[in-house]
Amino acid sequence: MLPGIGQTTIKSNYRKCQTLHFHDGVPLPKGNCYSSTSGNSISSQADYDLHRFRPPQLVASRSAVHFERDSKHMDRELAGLSPPIYPPYKAHSGRPFVPKSVLYDRLTLRFEGFYVEDSVAWGYSRRTVHPVKLSYYLEDDTISVHEPVTPNSGRPQGKLVCRHKVLKSGHEKDDDENPQKFWHWKDLNVASDVDIFGRRFRLTNCNQWTREFLMSAGIEVNAPEDVPESNPPLKKNDAASRSRSAPQPRSHPLKKFLEHDGQILRFGCVWDRREEEGVSVDERMKPYVLRYFLVDDTIQITDAEFESNQKRGLYSTNRAQEAVLLRRQRLPKEPRPVMTSPADAADLTFYDPKDLILGNAISVHGRRFVFVETGDEFTRSFYRNNFDIVDFTPVELD
């Protein structure tokens, strides 16, 4: 007979049960963990699955399983004192004792908050707000604090406080006489401060499960608070501003290169020598080509007739330097003086695109050049977009 054909399946519960149970705080082996009528069966006792209960059911189950409270223990809890981990109890005939680690297994209180960090730099003080998440683990009363990681923040983030029992401020670890030296879940509430290792955390909110748990224990949970502004405006520090000033913002050194690389303004100009004596007729209004390189604000002037003949193949490329009247350089508006220190160069002013307009004249180391036409469409579009110039009619000189 083939497997699975003609056979009747009787077994319906394939769960593998635990082999130990607790009796008076001592783990003992079970007899028949699959029997549904056994007093030790997991399926017949919902108290073993307390981590799935809501807080009111959890507290009720804890009261019945852990110990039967009398008036003395009730007065102790109402007085604000937390009961010991294993308090005196009266064992119930039908419900075994459940340790705290099993009762509060995987139960965590979640709080949201922030801490403030002040810094002073360049005469200005900045207050930065860092959001955090605080977790309280009920099974062993430990606390951990985590700050969400922000990419490229330039500072260490993530786990700020590892999971462990945290001492309160002003208490020592060896002080065994004070049972309240560690932070307890009854000390945590919304809109309250928690001091951990000298850093103050402000709790602003909690999740719904934490709110229900605290309210079921008789704690009135405060209303949520808003987190302050993360990056408020800078406030100037008067004491530090006397010694130093804030740095001025400056553009990136490669910004101009990336925006204007390969962009050249081309103009047709003439060297005006009509007022000079002893100059031939051909040399009085000799045409030249002026190129302005936007990437570094440099100017180059070449002979227009030589370039025209070179394009037609009359001159070889080896004679290209013969056409250069002014090599590529920044052109000062005034004759360059004799500089005795680097500070003298700071007083020089150089030509820029707003000086290169049709009909204007510039001085090239004492030589007078007049602009008569624009060389290409890129030059015209540049002046049309940046200087609102639409008339590019060539200038005629007498």
Side-chain angles (χ1 to χ4, degrees):
M1 181 179 292
L2 295 177
I5 299 179
Q7 295 181 359
T8 303
T9 302
I10 302 176
K11 187 177 180 180
S12 61
N13 185 5
Y14 295 92
R15 179 177 57 180
K16 186 175 181 180
C17 302
Q18 297 181 357
T19 59
L20 296 176
H21 75 105
F22 289 89
H23 179 69
D24 295 341
V26 179
L28 298 175
K30 290 185 179 181
N32 184 11
C33 66
Y34 295 102
S35 176
S36 59
T37 59
S38 174
N40 296 329
S41 175
I42 294 180
S43 61
S44 63
Q45 295 191 22
D47 294 333
Y48 282 92
D49 207 9
L50 294 176
H51 63 277
R52 299 185 181 181
F53 282 18
R54 295 306 245 176
Q57 299 170 332
L58 177 61
V59 174
S61 300
R62 185 178 183 273
S63 300
V65 177
H66 224 147
F67 61 97
E68 293 182 356
R69 302 181 186 273
D70 53 11
S71 59
K72 179 179 178 180
H73 296 111
M74 186 62 68
D75 295 339
R76 176 182 176 86
E77 183 174 6
L78 293 177
L81 301 177
S82 60
I85 296 180
Y86 300 104
Y89 69 95
K90 184 183 294 184
H92 196 275
S93 59
R95 294 177 178 176
F97 170 75
V98 179
K100 181 181 179 181
S101 58
V102 178
L103 184 67
Y104 292 116
D105 183 28
R106 291 175 292 178
L107 288 179
T108 307
L109 305 181
R110 306 285 185 180
F111 293 90
E112 297 179 0
F114 67 91
Y115 72 94
V116 180
E117 184 179 27
D118 297 330
S119 60
V120 179
W122 298 99
Y124 287 81
S125 62
R126 179 187 295 272
R127 190 188 70 168
T128 307
V129 178
H130 302 277
V132 296
K133 296 184 181 297
L134 186 143
S135 302
Y136 185 94
Y137 302 90
L138 294 172
E139 56 181 331
D140 54 358
D141 298 326
T142 56
I143 294 177
S144 66
V145 182
H146 179 270
E147 179 180 355
V149 178
T150 302
N152 300 324
S153 62
R155 57 181 307 276
Q157 292 176 317
K159 186 178 294 184
L160 301 181
V161 179
C162 297
R163 178 179 174 179
H164 69 289
K165 286 189 175 182
V166 180
L167 283 170
K168 295 182 180 179
S169 301
H171 294 273
E172 297 181 359
K173 189 175 182 181
D174 299 335
D175 187 8
D176 298 334
E177 298 180 356
N178 188 3
Q180 304 294 335
K181 61 181 179 180
F182 295 104
W183 283 100
H184 194 262
W185 59 267
K186 293 185 179 181
D187 303 323
L188 305 179
N189 199 343
V190 178
S192 62
D193 295 332
V194 179
D195 294 334
I196 300 178
F197 302 136
R199 178 173 289 176
R200 176 168 296 181
F201 297 95
R202 180 71 175 181
L203 304 182
T204 59
N205 202 353
C206 63
N207 57 7
Q208 185 62 24
W209 195 94
T210 302
R211 184 177 299 273
E212 293 179 3
F213 181 86
L214 296 178
M215 293 178 64
S216 65
I219 299 177
E220 183 179 356
V221 182
N222 301 325
E225 293 183 348
D226 296 332
V227 179
E229 186 180 358
S230 297
N231 294 311
L234 294 176
K235 296 180 180 179
K236 194 165 184 179
N237 190 341
D238 297 336
S241 62
R242 300 189 185 99
S243 58
R244 59 176 67 179
S245 58
Q248 298 295 331
R250 57 182 181 180
S251 59
H252 196 276
L254 295 179
K255 179 181 179 181
K256 192 172 184 180
F257 171 78
L258 297 175
E259 292 180 354
H260 302 292
D261 183 34
Q263 297 181 358
I264 303 174
L265 304 181
R266 190 173 182 273
F267 301 91
C269 57
V270 295
W271 182 4
D272 188 4
R273 305 176 66 182
R274 290 174 295 179
E275 298 180 358
E276 298 181 10
E277 297 181 358
V279 180
S280 61
V281 178
D282 297 337
E283 297 291 334
R284 288 184 178 180
M285 300 289 291
K286 187 173 182 180
Y288 286 88
V289 177
L290 185 144
R291 293 181 176 86
Y292 187 94
F293 299 86
L294 294 174
V295 67
D296 55 358
D297 300 324
T298 55
I299 292 177
Q300 182 186 30
I301 301 178
T302 56
D303 190 347
E305 183 179 357
F306 190 94
E307 284 191 0
S308 178
N309 294 333
Q310 187 179 17
K311 290 179 181 179
R312 290 185 293 176
L314 299 179
Y315 299 132
S316 63
T317 56
N318 297 332
R319 300 179 57 186
Q321 295 298 327
E322 298 180 10
V324 178
L325 177 66
L326 178 70
R327 64 180 178 84
R328 182 176 173 178
Q329 59 183 285
R330 299 194 68 183
L331 183 61
K333 295 183 179 181
E334 301 295 335
R336 189 186 298 270
V338 178
M339 292 183 292
T340 58
S341 65
D344 297 337
D347 299 333
L348 294 178
T349 56
F350 299 91
Y351 286 107
D352 52 20
K354 66 176 178 292
D355 301 319
L356 311 182
I357 307 297
L358 291 183
N360 289 2
I362 63 173
S363 176
V364 181
H365 300 301
R367 302 175 179 85
R368 186 173 184 271
F369 280 78
V370 182
F371 294 93
V372 295
E373 63 178 357
T374 55
D376 52 13
E377 182 60 29
F378 173 77
T379 304
R380 289 187 284 270
S381 63
F382 178 84
Y383 279 89
R384 189 182 300 112
N385 298 331
N386 295 275
F387 300 98
D388 296 333
I389 299 177
V390 295
D391 185 11
F392 301 99
T393 305
V395 178
E396 297 182 359
L397 301 177
D398 298 336

